[in-house]
Amino acid sequence: MLAAEEDLANKGRRASGEARLTVYQTVNDILEQAIRAEEQGLNLKEVVDRRGDMERAREMGLTFTVEHLYYQVVDAAFC
C-alpha cells in the first residue's frame, strides 16, 4: 500500500492513463527514477529543475559542448 495526497494521486492516475500505463507501472517508474537520481547524489526535484534550465537555455539558442573541444575549434579557427 502506498499513501499519497489526494490531488497527487489523481494527477498520477490521469498521467498514467494518458501514457497508457497502469498506476502501478507509473509509481514504479517514478520510484525507480528517484532512486537512480539519489544514487547519483541528486534528488528528483534537482533533476527536473536542471532539465528545465537546459530547456530554457536551448530555447534561448545556447548550445552545450565539451569545453576542451570548443577551445580546440576556436584555436583552429583563429590560428
Side-chain angles (χ1 to χ4, degrees):
M1 182 170 149
L2 184 67
E5 294 177 11
E6 185 176 0
D7 63 326
L8 291 176
N10 290 334
K11 287 178 183 178
R13 191 173 17 247
R14 279 193 300 276
S16 296
E18 290 170 6
R20 298 181 183 212
L21 299 171
T22 65
V23 173
Y24 175 84
Q25 290 168 315
T26 301
V27 169
N28 279 299
D29 186 45
I30 291 167
L31 291 172
E32 181 181 356
Q33 299 313 314
I35 291 166
R36 285 182 62 207
E38 290 290 336
E39 289 172 347
Q40 295 176 31
L42 304 167
N43 63 49
L44 207 47
K45 181 184 181 322
E46 289 174 314
V47 172
V48 172
D49 289 346
R50 288 182 183 186
R51 169 68 174 131
D53 293 343
M54 296 287 284
E55 188 63 28
R56 281 187 294 283
R58 187 186 63 79
E59 289 169 359
M60 293 171 47
L62 299 176
T63 302
F64 294 93
T65 185
V66 178
E67 185 177 15
H68 78 275
L69 293 177
Y70 170 77
Y71 288 122
Q72 288 177 355
V73 170
V74 171
D75 286 344
F78 292 102
C79 293

